[in-house]
Amino acid sequence: MQYRFAHILLLLISVISYGQVNLTLKSDKTDYNGKEAINLTIILEMNGGDLVQQTGFQLPDLSKFNMIGSGSVTNTLVDPETNTVIIQKVSRIALEPKQKGKVKIGSVLVTVSNKIYKTEPFNIFIKDVDRKPVAANTSNDVYLNMEIEDRDVYQDQPTIAVLKVYSKNMDNFRKVKNISLPKNENINVHPVSFAKSEIDPSDNGSMASQVLAVFMVFPNEAGYIEVPSVSASVSSYSHKNKIVSNKVRINVKKLPEGSPEYFKNAVGNFKVSVYNESKEKVEVKKPINVVIKVAGEGNLADMELPKIAASPDYEIFAPKITAKTAPGTTGIKGEIQAHYVVIPNKAGPLSIKTEPFAFFDPAEKEYVDLGQQTLSLNSLSHEQVMASRSTVEKVNEYTNTFLETVNTPVLKTTTFKVKEKSKFHWNVLLTNIAILIGLFIIYLLFKTWQKKRNLVKETVPAKSLGSIAETESEIRETLKTDVNDYFSYLENLKDNEEYQKFFDTVEELDSEVRTQYSQGSKEDFKIFLENYKGSGVAEEYRILSQRIQMEKFVPVKSIEGIDELLKAIVNLYSQIDK
């Protein structure tokens, strides 16, 4: 009888132990000060292979804390004595307290095999928390507070920071100026907006608040990183005071293992393309403009762009970088272009490849390998280029050459230039012939008018020479250059992207204006402008001259840069010509 009772007891104990679930929540200690992180550990232990965790950990209300980090690990083992599968899942959460005193930590819930398990709540005690900094030496309290909602991000993944100002006196809000964003070696900061929001009259009890700035923080190192304070000034009629915000600590997760060998620091979602910007045929030893475009959203402004891979088939020069970006929801979005000047070294098929490129997609938590992008071209020798031209293309080239040699800024002959066509068009040929005949007739009419004018001059009696001052005035008016003609011609050259002739015409304009004022060199002309037009105009002339030389020798010229340069030229020479 006793043997049967012992056997039944052991059987009941084994059944109770089989399929057991243990869920616990504990903190590393019970008393904290405001500067310490509160570490919570959640342990779920399932003894039995038929147990299935159906939900994740449902955390309690943690609104009295800022979550600064989290992580979890799962271990599976088999008990050799009972042959029972034991699954253990451990999660850790790091919290930052918002208030002092006794704070209750609620229960954690989890569902395992259609049964809900929960932990027992407990209390912790916070001795003190960091107060918001107060503006020094101000009669009315003004506070700055920096808020970062997402404090758990990957390396090079952005997080949004919001800067708010708090005060009991709403009149103080208009006095807050000169916002200085945080700077540190392990973060990159990009502003999103400095537009002030509407005033919230009761954001923090009896204090009103206003959003001053929104910016993105890109951490470039893993680990716990502290975002430095944001500073601003509070100005009044009598004095100016500096105020600073709080510092915020964020948890920067290291990027997962298994990245491609050529992965650098691109985090987000991107596309890479390469294309030939030049419209002409590719010729050996003649430069072409090759563009690598990276488009997407992420750390676009700080990432390392893919380059053109080196090859003995071509030479590469340092690129000019242009960017069209704007703040997005998950980073900086837009596109960045690298403009390369490439010179082919051989005739025949030419394959221009980029370096392999890969990025980490934080949404999918995986690496995306885009590999190499290839631009296939056909490089021709000079003889092949000349032989491939049709009769119409040769006629068009002769016509364009003739029109380009007309040395006057008034006649916009470059608008008559004929673009190369792949098919034969009689209309194009007849138009070119009509233009040549028209120019010849205009030339004959001009010579006839000139002869008649000379005859009239001979019959007109000589006028009185007048005074020396009147003679100098007449000579000056005769030599005066009409700068508006040059402006129109330069505008036309810019639109047709004839940059070499553009800069030659600018030099001609400068020479004509200096001759008008009897100044041979640019240094003499600067002294003349300083004496008669003011030091401001002289300094503007010096800066513009340096800018013209820099833009002239840039390997790849942009339409936007030339357009801004032309506006500066028109503005300065219009002042000088007054």
Side-chain angles (χ1 to χ4, degrees):
M1 185 69 180
Q2 293 179 351
Y3 174 77
R4 288 182 178 180
F5 179 77
H7 180 73
I8 293 172
L9 182 62
L10 290 173
L11 181 62
L12 289 175
I13 293 174
S14 63
V15 170
I16 293 172
S17 63
Y18 183 77
Q20 185 177 2
V21 176
N22 294 320
L23 178 65
T24 60
L25 171 64
K26 60 182 180 180
S27 60
D28 53 347
K29 56 183 181 177
T30 57
D31 294 340
Y32 300 88
N33 59 48
K35 296 182 179 180
E36 289 182 316
I38 301 169
N39 295 309
L40 300 180
T41 304
I42 306 171
I43 301 175
L44 173 63
E45 217 175 71
M46 297 181 292
N47 298 325
D50 59 338
L51 297 174
V52 178
Q53 181 182 353
Q54 295 172 301
T55 64
F57 294 134
Q58 299 179 34
L59 300 179
D61 179 19
L62 299 176
S63 59
K64 298 178 182 179
F65 306 91
N66 291 320
M67 185 177 293
I68 59 177
S70 63
S72 63
V73 64
T74 301
N75 299 316
T76 303
L77 55 93
V78 178
D79 189 347
E81 296 181 358
T82 62
N83 199 27
T84 304
V85 178
I86 301 175
I87 301 175
Q88 185 185 62
K89 184 174 182 180
V90 180
S91 293
R92 297 203 65 184
I93 302 173
L95 303 175
E96 181 183 65
K98 292 182 180 179
Q99 65 181 44
K100 67 178 181 178
K102 186 170 67 174
V103 181
K104 183 178 180 180
I105 304 294
S107 300
V108 175
L109 303 178
V110 67
T111 302
V112 178
S113 297
N114 298 323
K115 187 176 180 181
I116 299 175
Y117 297 87
K118 71 174 184 177
T119 62
E120 294 296 327
F122 59 91
N123 295 322
I124 59 174
F125 185 78
I126 312 297
K127 294 181 180 179
D128 197 4
V129 295
D130 292 335
R131 299 289 184 183
K132 296 174 183 177
V134 183
N137 302 324
T138 54
S139 57
N140 297 314
D141 291 344
V142 182
Y143 304 88
L144 281 182
N145 184 49
M146 178 171 54
E147 302 174 0
I148 298 180
E149 183 176 355
D150 189 2
R151 302 193 184 188
D152 191 15
V153 295
Y154 282 104
Q155 182 177 340
D156 292 309
Q157 181 186 4
T159 183
I160 299 294
V162 179
L163 179 67
K164 283 187 177 182
V165 59
Y166 292 83
S167 180
K168 295 180 180 179
N169 184 1
M170 292 188 184
D171 187 54
N172 287 329
F173 292 148
R174 65 180 180 84
K175 301 177 183 178
V176 180
K177 301 177 182 178
N178 303 323
I179 299 171
S180 179
L181 297 182
K183 296 180 181 179
N184 206 343
E185 293 180 355
N186 51 14
I187 62 171
N188 297 316
V189 177
H190 295 278
V192 174
S193 173
F194 284 104
K196 293 184 178 181
S197 69
E198 295 184 358
I199 297 175
D200 187 348
S202 58
D203 186 27
N204 187 15
S206 62
M207 302 187 73
S209 71
Q210 185 181 41
V211 175
L212 295 181
V214 180
F215 54 94
M216 286 186 180
V217 178
F218 292 80
N220 51 41
E221 293 181 4
Y224 288 102
I225 291 180
E226 189 173 66
V227 180
S229 302
V230 181
S231 65
S233 62
V234 181
S235 303
S236 63
Y237 293 107
S238 58
H239 55 270
K240 179 186 292 186
N241 296 303
K242 183 179 179 181
I243 56 177
V244 294
S245 74
N246 57 310
K247 299 176 182 179
V248 178
R249 186 167 57 174
I250 61 177
N251 176 36
V252 183
K253 296 180 289 186
K254 189 176 181 181
L255 295 176
E257 300 292 336
S259 64
E261 181 181 355
Y262 37 82
F263 170 78
K264 295 177 182 176
N265 67 334
V267 175
N269 195 351
F270 307 101
K271 292 182 180 179
V272 179
S273 60
V274 57
Y275 60 91
N276 179 18
E277 198 176 33
S278 304
K279 299 178 182 179
E280 294 80 10
K281 296 176 181 178
V282 179
E283 185 177 346
V284 178
K285 297 302 180 183
K286 292 294 182 66
I288 56 175
N289 296 324
V290 177
V291 179
I292 297 179
K293 182 173 74 173
V294 179
E297 186 171 354
N299 62 333
L300 193 62
D302 303 314
M303 61 182 283
E304 190 171 340
L305 301 175
K307 303 176 182 177
I308 293 180
S311 172
D313 296 340
Y314 49 80
E315 296 182 26
I316 315 169
F317 292 87
K320 179 180 180 181
I321 308 298
T322 60
K324 295 180 181 178
T325 59
T329 56
T330 59
I332 304 297
K333 66 179 181 179
E335 62 181 41
I336 294 182
Q337 296 181 349
H339 299 259
Y340 286 87
V341 175
V342 179
I343 300 179
N345 290 331
K346 68 165 189 174
L350 187 65
S351 180
I352 299 177
K353 296 183 178 181
T354 66
E355 294 178 342
F357 179 75
F359 63 87
F360 176 74
D361 188 350
E364 301 295 333
K365 298 182 180 180
E366 63 180 9
Y367 292 95
V368 179
D369 187 358
L370 297 181
Q372 286 184 304
Q373 305 299 315
T374 304
L375 175 63
S376 298
L377 302 173
N378 186 28
S379 178
L380 304 175
S381 64
H382 181 69
E383 292 77 12
Q384 289 175 324
V385 172
M386 297 303 294
S388 64
R389 292 184 178 180
S390 63
T391 305
V392 175
E393 289 176 332
K394 293 179 181 179
V395 172
N396 291 342
E397 183 184 5
Y398 296 149
T399 304
N400 293 338
T401 303
F402 175 79
L403 295 175
E404 289 174 354
T405 54
V406 179
N407 189 21
T408 171
V410 179
L411 183 60
K412 299 180 182 180
T413 56
T414 53
T415 57
F416 301 114
K417 288 181 65 175
V418 181
K419 297 181 180 179
E420 294 184 359
K421 302 289 182 179
S422 58
K423 297 181 180 179
F424 185 83
H425 294 283
W426 285 101
N427 293 335
V428 176
L429 181 61
L430 293 176
T431 302
N432 291 334
I433 295 173
I435 291 173
L436 291 174
I437 294 174
L439 291 173
F440 182 70
I441 293 174
I442 292 173
Y443 174 74
L444 293 178
L445 292 175
F446 174 75
K447 297 299 289 185
T448 304
W449 173 78
Q450 197 174 34
K451 289 181 181 179
K452 290 181 179 180
R453 187 180 179 185
N454 292 335
L455 292 174
V456 172
K457 284 183 178 180
E458 292 177 359
T459 57
V460 174
K463 295 183 179 180
S464 174
L465 294 177
S467 65
I468 295 175
E470 292 175 351
T471 303
E472 289 181 352
S473 178
E474 290 180 3
I475 293 173
R476 188 174 292 107
E477 288 295 327
T478 303
L479 295 176
K480 189 173 182 180
T481 303
D482 190 357
V483 294
N484 292 321
D485 293 338
Y486 279 97
F487 296 159
S488 301
Y489 187 50
L490 289 171
E491 181 73 25
N492 185 63
L493 293 175
K494 181 206 70 171
D495 294 339
N496 292 329
E497 299 183 8
E498 299 183 37
Y499 299 133
Q500 183 60 42
K501 296 188 72 175
F502 177 89
F503 287 102
D504 293 342
T505 306
V506 171
E507 289 293 334
E508 183 181 338
L509 168 62
D510 183 69
S511 178
E512 289 288 340
V513 173
R514 284 189 280 110
T515 303
Q516 175 183 324
Y517 289 99
S518 303
Q519 303 296 325
S521 65
K522 291 189 177 183
E523 295 299 325
D524 295 339
F525 192 46
K526 292 176 188 176
I527 298 173
F528 171 81
L529 290 176
E530 188 170 357
N531 293 334
Y532 293 94
K533 298 291 183 177
S535 59
V537 176
E539 179 64 17
E540 189 175 350
Y541 176 78
R542 183 187 66 80
I543 295 173
L544 180 61
S545 298
Q546 294 179 352
R547 184 177 173 186
I548 290 171
Q549 293 301 316
M550 292 175 63
E551 286 288 343
K552 182 176 181 181
F553 295 102
V554 168
V556 179
K557 299 175 176 59
S558 64
I559 297 177
E560 294 81 3
I562 297 297
D563 187 54
E564 293 179 1
L565 181 62
L566 179 57
K567 290 179 182 178
I569 292 172
V570 172
N571 181 49
L572 176 62
Y573 284 95
S574 296
Q575 295 182 53
I576 296 174
D577 193 54
K578 289 182 180 179

Short mmCIF file of all heavy atoms in Angstrom, two decimals, residues 405-436:
data_model
loop_
_atom_site.label_atom_id
_atom_site.label_comp_id
_atom_site.label_asym_id
_atom_site.label_seq_id
_atom_site.Cartn_x
_atom_site.Cartn_y
_atom_site.Cartn_z
N THR A 405 31.10 83.16 -85.41
CA THR A 405 32.19 84.09 -85.64
C THR A 405 31.72 85.52 -85.82
O THR A 405 32.54 86.42 -85.98
CB THR A 405 32.98 83.68 -86.90
OG1 THR A 405 32.08 83.54 -88.00
CG2 THR A 405 33.68 82.35 -86.67
N VAL A 406 30.40 85.78 -85.82
CA VAL A 406 29.90 87.16 -85.90
C VAL A 406 30.18 87.83 -84.57
O VAL A 406 29.57 87.50 -83.55
CB VAL A 406 28.39 87.17 -86.22
CG1 VAL A 406 27.86 88.59 -86.27
CG2 VAL A 406 28.13 86.46 -87.53
N ASN A 407 31.10 88.80 -84.54
CA ASN A 407 31.63 89.37 -83.31
C ASN A 407 30.81 90.58 -82.88
O ASN A 407 31.23 91.71 -83.04
CB ASN A 407 33.10 89.75 -83.51
CG ASN A 407 33.74 90.14 -82.17
OD1 ASN A 407 33.25 89.77 -81.12
ND2 ASN A 407 34.84 90.87 -82.24
N THR A 408 29.59 90.36 -82.40
CA THR A 408 28.80 91.45 -81.84
C THR A 408 27.82 90.88 -80.83
O THR A 408 27.20 89.85 -81.08
CB THR A 408 28.03 92.22 -82.93
OG1 THR A 408 27.11 93.12 -82.27
CG2 THR A 408 27.24 91.29 -83.83
N PRO A 409 27.68 91.52 -79.68
CA PRO A 409 26.73 91.03 -78.70
C PRO A 409 25.30 91.40 -79.01
O PRO A 409 24.39 90.92 -78.36
CB PRO A 409 27.20 91.71 -77.40
CG PRO A 409 27.84 92.97 -77.86
CD PRO A 409 28.49 92.66 -79.19
N VAL A 410 25.08 92.27 -80.01
CA VAL A 410 23.72 92.73 -80.31
C VAL A 410 22.96 91.70 -81.12
O VAL A 410 21.82 91.37 -80.86
CB VAL A 410 23.77 94.07 -81.07
CG1 VAL A 410 22.36 94.55 -81.40
CG2 VAL A 410 24.51 95.11 -80.24
N LEU A 411 23.61 91.10 -82.13
CA LEU A 411 22.98 90.13 -82.99
C LEU A 411 23.10 88.74 -82.35
O LEU A 411 24.19 88.20 -82.23
CB LEU A 411 23.66 90.12 -84.38
CG LEU A 411 23.06 89.18 -85.43
CD1 LEU A 411 21.60 89.55 -85.68
CD2 LEU A 411 23.87 89.22 -86.70
N LYS A 412 21.98 88.20 -81.92
CA LYS A 412 21.99 86.91 -81.22
C LYS A 412 21.97 85.78 -82.24
O LYS A 412 20.97 85.09 -82.43
CB LYS A 412 20.79 86.80 -80.29
CG LYS A 412 20.76 87.87 -79.21
CD LYS A 412 19.54 87.70 -78.35
CE LYS A 412 19.49 88.79 -77.29
NZ LYS A 412 18.31 88.64 -76.43
N THR A 413 23.08 85.60 -82.90
CA THR A 413 23.12 84.60 -83.97
C THR A 413 23.15 83.18 -83.44
O THR A 413 22.83 82.25 -84.16
CB THR A 413 24.38 84.83 -84.83
OG1 THR A 413 25.52 84.81 -83.97
CG2 THR A 413 24.30 86.15 -85.54
N THR A 414 23.52 83.01 -82.15
CA THR A 414 23.60 81.65 -81.63
C THR A 414 22.23 80.98 -81.53
O THR A 414 22.14 79.76 -81.44
CB THR A 414 24.25 81.65 -80.24
OG1 THR A 414 23.53 82.57 -79.42
CG2 THR A 414 25.70 82.05 -80.32
N THR A 415 21.16 81.79 -81.57
CA THR A 415 19.82 81.19 -81.53
C THR A 415 19.49 80.47 -82.82
O THR A 415 18.55 79.69 -82.88
CB THR A 415 18.76 82.28 -81.28
OG1 THR A 415 18.86 83.26 -82.31
CG2 THR A 415 18.97 82.93 -79.94
N PHE A 416 20.27 80.77 -83.89
CA PHE A 416 20.02 80.11 -85.17
C PHE A 416 20.81 78.82 -85.32
O PHE A 416 20.75 78.17 -86.36
CB PHE A 416 20.39 81.04 -86.34
CG PHE A 416 19.61 82.33 -86.33
CD1 PHE A 416 20.26 83.54 -86.11
CD2 PHE A 416 18.24 82.33 -86.52
CE1 PHE A 416 19.55 84.72 -86.10
CE2 PHE A 416 17.53 83.51 -86.51
CZ PHE A 416 18.18 84.71 -86.30
N LYS A 417 21.59 78.45 -84.28
CA LYS A 417 22.38 77.23 -84.40
C LYS A 417 21.49 76.02 -84.60
O LYS A 417 20.45 75.88 -83.97
CB LYS A 417 23.24 77.04 -83.15
CG LYS A 417 24.39 78.02 -83.05
CD LYS A 417 25.21 77.76 -81.80
CE LYS A 417 25.87 76.40 -81.89
NZ LYS A 417 26.75 76.16 -80.75
N VAL A 418 21.91 75.13 -85.42
CA VAL A 418 21.12 73.96 -85.78
C VAL A 418 21.65 72.75 -85.05
O VAL A 418 22.85 72.47 -85.09
CB VAL A 418 21.16 73.72 -87.31
CG1 VAL A 418 20.31 72.52 -87.68
CG2 VAL A 418 20.70 74.97 -88.05
N LYS A 419 20.76 72.06 -84.36
CA LYS A 419 21.16 70.85 -83.66
C LYS A 419 21.28 69.69 -84.64
O LYS A 419 20.59 69.64 -85.66
CB LYS A 419 20.13 70.50 -82.57
CG LYS A 419 20.03 71.57 -81.49
CD LYS A 419 19.02 71.16 -80.44
CE LYS A 419 18.93 72.23 -79.36
NZ LYS A 419 17.94 71.87 -78.32
N GLU A 420 22.16 68.75 -84.30
CA GLU A 420 22.36 67.60 -85.17
C GLU A 420 21.13 66.72 -85.20
O GLU A 420 20.48 66.48 -84.20
CB GLU A 420 23.57 66.79 -84.68
CG GLU A 420 24.88 67.56 -84.81
CD GLU A 420 26.05 66.69 -84.43
OE1 GLU A 420 25.79 65.53 -84.06
OE2 GLU A 420 27.19 67.15 -84.51
N LYS A 421 20.78 66.24 -86.39
CA LYS A 421 19.64 65.36 -86.58
C LYS A 421 20.12 64.03 -87.13
O LYS A 421 21.07 63.96 -87.90
CB LYS A 421 18.62 65.98 -87.55
CG LYS A 421 18.10 67.35 -87.12
CD LYS A 421 17.19 67.24 -85.92
CE LYS A 421 16.63 68.60 -85.53
NZ LYS A 421 15.73 68.49 -84.37
N SER A 422 19.42 63.01 -86.73
CA SER A 422 19.79 61.68 -87.21
C SER A 422 19.23 61.40 -88.59
O SER A 422 19.70 60.52 -89.29
CB SER A 422 19.28 60.63 -86.22
OG SER A 422 17.87 60.74 -86.07
N LYS A 423 18.18 62.17 -89.02
CA LYS A 423 17.59 61.98 -90.33
C LYS A 423 17.79 63.22 -91.19
O LYS A 423 18.01 64.31 -90.68
CB LYS A 423 16.09 61.69 -90.19
CG LYS A 423 15.79 60.40 -89.43
CD LYS A 423 14.29 60.17 -89.36
CE LYS A 423 13.97 58.88 -88.60
NZ LYS A 423 12.53 58.65 -88.50
N PHE A 424 17.71 63.01 -92.51
CA PHE A 424 17.88 64.12 -93.45
C PHE A 424 16.57 64.90 -93.55
O PHE A 424 15.50 64.32 -93.83
CB PHE A 424 18.27 63.56 -94.83
CG PHE A 424 18.59 64.66 -95.83
CD1 PHE A 424 19.84 65.23 -95.85
CD2 PHE A 424 17.64 65.11 -96.72
CE1 PHE A 424 20.15 66.23 -96.76
CE2 PHE A 424 17.92 66.12 -97.61
CZ PHE A 424 19.18 66.68 -97.65
N HIS A 425 16.63 66.23 -93.33
CA HIS A 425 15.47 67.10 -93.43
C HIS A 425 15.78 68.23 -94.40
O HIS A 425 16.69 69.04 -94.18
CB HIS A 425 15.11 67.68 -92.05
CG HIS A 425 14.64 66.64 -91.07
ND1 HIS A 425 13.39 66.11 -91.12
CD2 HIS A 425 15.29 66.03 -90.04
CE1 HIS A 425 13.25 65.22 -90.15
NE2 HIS A 425 14.41 65.16 -89.47
N TRP A 426 15.02 68.28 -95.49
CA TRP A 426 15.22 69.36 -96.46
C TRP A 426 14.89 70.71 -95.86
O TRP A 426 15.49 71.72 -96.26
CB TRP A 426 14.34 69.10 -97.70
CG TRP A 426 14.88 67.99 -98.57
CD1 TRP A 426 14.46 66.72 -98.63
CD2 TRP A 426 15.98 68.11 -99.48
NE1 TRP A 426 15.20 65.99 -99.52
CE2 TRP A 426 16.17 66.84 -100.06
CE3 TRP A 426 16.83 69.14 -99.85
CZ2 TRP A 426 17.15 66.58 -101.00
CZ3 TRP A 426 17.81 68.89 -100.79
CH2 TRP A 426 17.97 67.62 -101.37
N ASN A 427 13.96 70.77 -94.93
CA ASN A 427 13.60 72.06 -94.32
C ASN A 427 14.79 72.69 -93.62
O ASN A 427 14.99 73.90 -93.66
CB ASN A 427 12.44 71.86 -93.34
CG ASN A 427 11.15 71.47 -94.04
OD1 ASN A 427 10.98 71.78 -95.22
ND2 ASN A 427 10.25 70.80 -93.32
N VAL A 428 15.57 71.86 -92.93
CA VAL A 428 16.75 72.37 -92.23
C VAL A 428 17.76 72.94 -93.20
O VAL A 428 18.33 74.03 -93.00
CB VAL A 428 17.39 71.25 -91.38
CG1 VAL A 428 18.67 71.73 -90.73
CG2 VAL A 428 16.41 70.77 -90.31
N LEU A 429 18.01 72.22 -94.31
CA LEU A 429 18.97 72.68 -95.31
C LEU A 429 18.51 73.99 -95.94
O LEU A 429 19.30 74.94 -96.10
CB LEU A 429 19.17 71.59 -96.36
CG LEU A 429 20.18 71.91 -97.48
CD1 LEU A 429 21.56 72.15 -96.89
CD2 LEU A 429 20.21 70.78 -98.50
N LEU A 430 17.22 74.07 -96.31
CA LEU A 430 16.70 75.28 -96.94
C LEU A 430 16.73 76.45 -95.96
O LEU A 430 16.99 77.60 -96.35
CB LEU A 430 15.27 75.04 -97.43
CG LEU A 430 15.14 74.02 -98.59
CD1 LEU A 430 13.67 73.78 -98.91
CD2 LEU A 430 15.89 74.50 -99.84
N THR A 431 16.47 76.18 -94.70
CA THR A 431 16.53 77.26 -93.69
C THR A 431 17.94 77.80 -93.56
O THR A 431 18.15 79.03 -93.48
CB THR A 431 16.05 76.72 -92.33
OG1 THR A 431 14.72 76.22 -92.46
CG2 THR A 431 16.07 77.82 -91.28
N ASN A 432 18.94 76.92 -93.55
CA ASN A 432 20.33 77.38 -93.47
C ASN A 432 20.70 78.23 -94.67
O ASN A 432 21.37 79.27 -94.54
CB ASN A 432 21.27 76.17 -93.38
CG ASN A 432 21.13 75.45 -92.06
OD1 ASN A 432 20.75 76.06 -91.07
ND2 ASN A 432 21.44 74.16 -92.03
N ILE A 433 20.30 77.80 -95.88
CA ILE A 433 20.62 78.58 -97.09
C ILE A 433 19.93 79.93 -97.04
O ILE A 433 20.51 80.97 -97.39
CB ILE A 433 20.20 77.78 -98.34
CG1 ILE A 433 21.05 76.49 -98.45
CG2 ILE A 433 20.36 78.62 -99.60
CD1 ILE A 433 20.62 75.57 -99.55
N ALA A 434 18.66 79.95 -96.57
CA ALA A 434 17.92 81.23 -96.50
C ALA A 434 18.60 82.18 -95.51
O ALA A 434 18.67 83.39 -95.74
CB ALA A 434 16.47 80.95 -96.08
N ILE A 435 19.11 81.64 -94.42
CA ILE A 435 19.79 82.50 -93.43
C ILE A 435 21.05 83.10 -94.03
O ILE A 435 21.33 84.30 -93.86
CB ILE A 435 20.11 81.68 -92.17
CG1 ILE A 435 18.82 81.31 -91.42
CG2 ILE A 435 21.03 82.44 -91.23
CD1 ILE A 435 19.03 80.37 -90.27
N LEU A 436 21.82 82.30 -94.74
CA LEU A 436 23.05 82.81 -95.36
C LEU A 436 22.74 83.89 -96.40
O LEU A 436 23.41 84.92 -96.46
CB LEU A 436 23.82 81.65 -96.00
CG LEU A 436 24.43 80.63 -95.03
CD1 LEU A 436 25.03 79.47 -95.80
CD2 LEU A 436 25.49 81.30 -94.17
#
